[in-house]
Amino acid sequence: QVQLVESGGGLVQPGGSLRLSCAASGNIDRISVMGWYRQAPGRQRELVATIPSDGSPRYADSVMGRFTASRDNARNTVDLQMNSLKPEDTALYYCHARLRRIGTVVYGDYWGQGTQVTVSS
């Protein structure tokens, strides 16, 4: 089995900061991509940031310059530092990993349970 466990969500005032963390565990052979998506009420899930195993992070235009994603390949973790938060950043944030389990050749997409981020005064 594979698990992605997120932490770090909460309530913050506009202009504030939060840091999300995600750890992947289980029978993992290799993770090709890790990152974060978000889904606000009434909207589709959207990409926030994604990091390939051997490349630089890619960000949604709406968070560029405010959010920073980082990944630790040895620990199978991915973090999201969110600064200058805006009310429109309010959403359920999901950790994502595209990985290959031990003993398999196919990569699959795995998701965390989601952590709520609310930006409000």
Side-chain angles (χ1 to χ4, degrees):
Q1 296 292 338
V2 171
Q3 278 191 313
L4 274 63
V5 179
E6 303 118 333
S7 61
L11 173 65
V12 64
Q13 292 187 341
S17 298
L18 280 176
R19 187 176 184 88
L20 305 182
S21 296
C22 173
S25 63
N27 59 334
I28 298 170
D29 181 23
R30 182 178 181 273
I31 301 177
S32 61
V33 177
M34 289 192 84
W36 294 91
Y37 287 70
R38 67 186 181 187
Q39 187 168 17
R43 302 189 66 176
Q44 290 189 331
R45 190 174 298 189
E46 63 177 4
L47 171 73
V48 176
T50 187
I51 312 177
S53 59
D54 57 354
S56 299
R58 180 167 62 92
Y59 299 96
D61 289 344
S62 59
V63 307
M64 190 81 70
R66 300 187 298 121
F67 290 11
T68 303
S70 57
R71 176 177 169 177
D72 186 329
N73 291 333
R75 296 172 59 228
N76 288 340
T77 61
V78 62
D79 293 343
L80 184 67
Q81 178 65 41
M82 305 184 292
N83 299 328
S84 302
L85 282 160
K86 305 175 181 180
E88 51 263 43
D89 294 317
T90 295
L92 193 58
Y93 282 70
Y94 293 92
C95 177
H96 167 260
R98 180 164 295 160
L99 60 87
R100 181 177 66 202
R101 292 186 297 160
I102 294 171
T104 68
V105 297
V106 178
Y107 283 81
D109 290 305
Y110 291 81
W111 299 89
Q113 79 283 359
T115 185
Q116 180 67 38
V117 171
T118 302
V119 185
S120 174
S121 54

